[in-house]
C-alpha cells in the first residue's frame, strides 16, 4: 500500500536528563583534550574535575542526594525492656502483635501497655521512653538527614510516659505530643507526660534540663520541676512549680548487702529530707518497673528500717507528699542485692551471641544462669527470662573503636565478665 503524499513528522522524546548527560559527556571529552594539549594541567586537577563530574552524574541519575541537601531517611527504634502485657500495631497493618525485642518500631506504629505492662523504647538519637501501665503511644516521626540531624516525635494518646533525651546534633528535634500540645525538649533533659482523655486532664512535667510547650499559639518555657496542665476547653495552659522528689541515699545503687549466716536481713533506708514535705512514701520491688511491690508504706521521717528481706536483688524508690497529700514524682530507683556472707565466689555461666549492629546501636543477646543479673557497660539489663536468656540494645555509641563489657552476677556472689571490641564506622 502506497503512502499518501504529504509531510510526515517523526517525533523522538529527549529528556532533560539525556541532554544533561550528553553535555557532561562533552565536558569529559573536553577535559581529556585539555590534558593532552596542556601538559601543565596536573593530574590532580583533572582528578578533582572528574570527581565533580561524577557527583553531578550521580545526582542526575538519582543515585545519591547532594551533600547538605537535608534529605531525611526513616529510622527504627527498639525495645530495651519489656514487662507484662505489651502489644504493637504496625503503621501499615490493622492487627495487634505481642511486643518482642526483635520487633522494630517505625513511624506510624502504635504501642500499648496493659494494666501490668511496662516497656522501654530507645531511639537512634538516644531519646528513651518508659511507657507505664495502661498507656498508648503513637510514633509520629523518626528520621535523620545526611547532616546527622534527627527528628523524633511521639504522641501520648493515653497514660503516663517518662522520657529522657541524650546529646544530639544542633538542629535536631525531640518532641512529645499530648492532646494538641507539643513539648520540645533540649538535649540532656527529662520529662514526665500524663494524658487522661476521659478525665480531660493533661500534664507535662519537666524533671531536668529545659524545654517549651506550644498549644493554640501559646508557648510556655519550662525549667526543672516545672509543669503545664490544661483541659481541652481551656484556651491557656497553667504553669506550676512542683516539689522535687527526695534523693535516695542508702542502700546505694548497686550496693551488695551481706547477711551474716542468716537467710534474711534488716535493711535501713535513708533519703534526703524535703522542705514542705510532711511525709514520704517508700516502695520496694523485685523488678525495676514496680509493676508489683513487696513494700509500699508511708512514714513521716527521712529514714526507716525494713525487716526480714531475703536474699536476692531489690529496687527501691521514694516520694514526698505535702500537707494536702499531693505526692512528688518518683525518685531515682536504686538497686541493691542481699548476699549471704561466707559463700565462695565462683565463675558462673555466661554465653554471648555475636553482636548485631544497628547503626550506632549494638544489640547484645546471650544466656546466663537462672536468677543472675546482667550489666552491659555498667547499665543493667532490665529483664532476663526464667531460663537466663537476655536481650539488650545499647545507647548510641560513638564512631570508632569501643569495648562492650558484659557482666553476669548471682545473689550468691558468682560472677563472670566478658569483653569484646566493636568498631562503629
Amino acid at each position: 500500500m502506497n503512502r499518501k503524499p504529504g509531510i510526515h513528522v517523526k517525533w523522538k522524546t529527549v529528556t532533560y536528563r539525556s541532554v544533561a548527560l550528553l553535555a557532561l559527556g562533552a565536558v569529559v571529552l573536553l577535559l581529556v583534550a585539555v590534558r593532552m594539549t596542556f601538559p601543565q594541567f596536573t593530574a590532580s586537577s583533572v582528578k578533582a574535575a572528574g570527581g565533580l563530574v561524577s557527583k553531578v552524574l550521580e545526582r542526575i541519575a538519582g543515585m545519591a542526594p547532594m551533600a547538605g541537601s537535608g534529605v531525611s531517611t526513616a529510622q527504627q527504634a527498639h525495645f530495651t525492656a519489656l514487662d507484662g502485657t505489651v502489644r504493637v500495631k504496625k503503621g501499615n497493618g490493622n492487627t495487634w502483635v505481642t511486643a518482642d525485642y526483635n520487633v522494630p518500631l517505625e513511624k506510624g506504629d502504635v504501642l500499648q501497655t496493659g494494666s501490668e505492662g511496662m516497656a522501654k523504647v530507645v531511639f537512634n538519637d538516644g531519646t528513651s521512653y518508659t511507657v507505664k501501665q495502661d498507656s498508648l503511644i503513637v510514633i509520629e516521626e523518626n528520621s535523620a538527614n545526611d547532616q546527622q540531624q534527627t527528628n523524633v516525635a511521639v504522641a501520648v494518646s493515653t497514660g503516663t510516659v517518662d522520657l529522657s533525651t541524650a546529646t544530639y546534633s544542633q538542629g535536631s528535634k525531640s518532641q512529645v505530643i499530648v492532646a494538641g500540645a507539643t513539648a520540645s525538649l533540649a538535649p540532656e533533659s527529662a520529662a514526665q507526660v500524663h494524658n487522661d482523655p476521659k478525665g480531660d486532664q493533661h500534664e507535662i512535667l519537666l524533671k531536668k534540663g529545659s524545654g517549651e510547650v506550644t498549644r493554640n499559639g501559646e508557648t510556655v518555657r519550662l525549667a526543672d520541676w516545672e509543669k503545664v496542665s490544661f483541659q481541652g476547653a481551656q484556651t491557656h495552659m497553667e504553669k506550676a512549680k512542683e516539689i522535687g522528689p527526695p534523693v535516695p541515699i542508702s542502700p546505694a545503687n548497686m550496693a551488695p548487702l551481706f547477711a551474716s549466716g542468716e537467710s534474711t536481713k534488716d535493711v535501713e533506708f535513708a533519703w534526703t529530707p524535703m522542705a514542705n514535705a510532711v511525709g514520704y512514701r517508700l516502695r520496694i520491688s523485685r523488678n525495676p518497673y514496680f509493676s508489683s511491690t513487696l513494700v509500699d508504706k508511708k512514714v513521716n521521717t527521712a529514714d526507716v528500717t525494713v525487716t526480714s528481706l531475703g536474699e536476692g536483688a531489690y529496687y527501691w524508690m521514694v516520694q514526698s507528699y505535702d500537707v494536702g497529700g499531693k505526692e512528688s514524682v518518683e525518685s531515682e530507683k536504686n538497686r541493691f542485692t542481699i548476699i549471704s556472707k561466707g559463700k565462695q565466689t565462683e565463675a558462673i555461666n555466661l554465653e554471648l551471641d555475636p553482636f548485631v549492629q544497628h547503626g550506632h546501636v549494638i544489640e547484645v543477646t546471650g544466656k546466663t544462669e537462672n536468677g543472675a543479673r546482667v550489666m552491659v557497660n555498667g547499665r543493667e539489663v532490665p529483664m532476663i527470662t526464667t531460663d537466663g536468656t537476655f536481650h539488650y540494645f545499647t545507647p548510641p555509641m560513638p564512631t570508632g573503636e569501643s569495648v562492650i563489657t558484659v557482666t553476669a552476677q548471682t545473689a550468691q556472689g558468682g560472677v563472670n565478665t566478658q569483653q569484646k571490641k566493636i568498631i562503629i564506622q
Side-chain angles (χ1 to χ4, degrees), residues 31-275:
L31 287 172
V32 173
V34 169
R35 170 64 175 163
M36 295 177 65
T37 307
F38 302 99
Q40 64 270 29
F41 239 57
T42 65
S44 59
S45 300
V46 175
K47 182 178 179 181
L52 176 61
V53 171
S54 177
K55 289 181 181 179
V56 177
L57 280 170
E58 288 182 355
R59 176 60 177 166
I60 292 174
M63 292 185 290
M66 294 291 281
S69 63
V71 175
S72 295
T73 56
Q75 301 285 295
Q76 291 182 336
H78 297 277
F79 289 108
T80 59
L82 289 168
D83 187 20
T85 303
V86 182
R87 59 181 190 162
V88 176
K89 183 169 69 174
K90 302 299 291 182
N92 56 1
N94 294 316
T95 59
W96 291 92
V97 299
T98 301
D100 184 85
Y101 290 106
N102 293 319
V103 176
L105 296 176
E106 301 161 305
K107 179 179 178 180
D109 290 355
V110 182
L111 167 64
Q112 185 181 48
T113 57
S115 58
E116 293 294 327
M118 302 285 282
K120 185 174 182 180
V121 179
V122 175
F123 290 78
N124 281 6
D125 69 345
T127 302
S128 67
Y129 288 78
T130 299
V131 186
K132 299 190 175 181
Q133 298 97 325
D134 289 320
S135 300
L136 187 145
I137 69 170
V138 181
I139 299 178
E140 298 286 349
E141 185 59 59
N142 185 18
S143 61
N145 63 22
D146 56 354
Q147 297 176 338
Q148 303 302 313
Q149 293 172 330
T150 55
N151 186 1
V152 171
V154 170
V156 179
S157 299
T158 184
T160 303
V161 174
D162 286 331
L163 65 145
S164 61
T165 60
T167 301
Y168 46 73
S169 303
Q170 185 176 5
S172 297
K173 293 181 180 179
S174 184
Q175 298 178 320
V176 60
I177 304 165
V178 182
T182 300
S184 300
L185 300 184
E188 301 293 340
S189 298
Q192 183 179 86
V193 173
H194 179 69
N195 190 7
D196 179 10
K198 290 184 178 180
D200 195 18
Q201 298 291 331
H202 320 289
E203 297 180 349
I204 301 172
L205 169 68
L206 190 77
K207 296 193 285 186
K208 182 183 72 171
S210 62
E212 60 181 28
V213 182
T214 302
R215 174 179 178 264
N216 295 337
E218 177 189 17
T219 298
V220 177
R221 298 186 181 278
L222 298 178
D224 290 2
W225 303 114
E226 291 182 339
K227 79 170 184 179
V228 293
S229 58
F230 60 92
Q231 294 181 320
Q234 291 179 318
T235 57
H236 296 288
M237 296 179 287
E238 297 180 3
K239 181 178 178 179
K241 183 76 173 180
E242 292 288 291
I243 57 173
V247 177
I249 298 176
S250 66
N253 194 30
M254 305 310 297
L257 303 181
F258 295 96
S260 300
E262 300 177 357
S263 59
T264 63
K265 182 176 178 60
D266 297 345
V267 178
E268 181 179 353
F269 294 83
W271 52 87
T272 57
M274 301 298 293

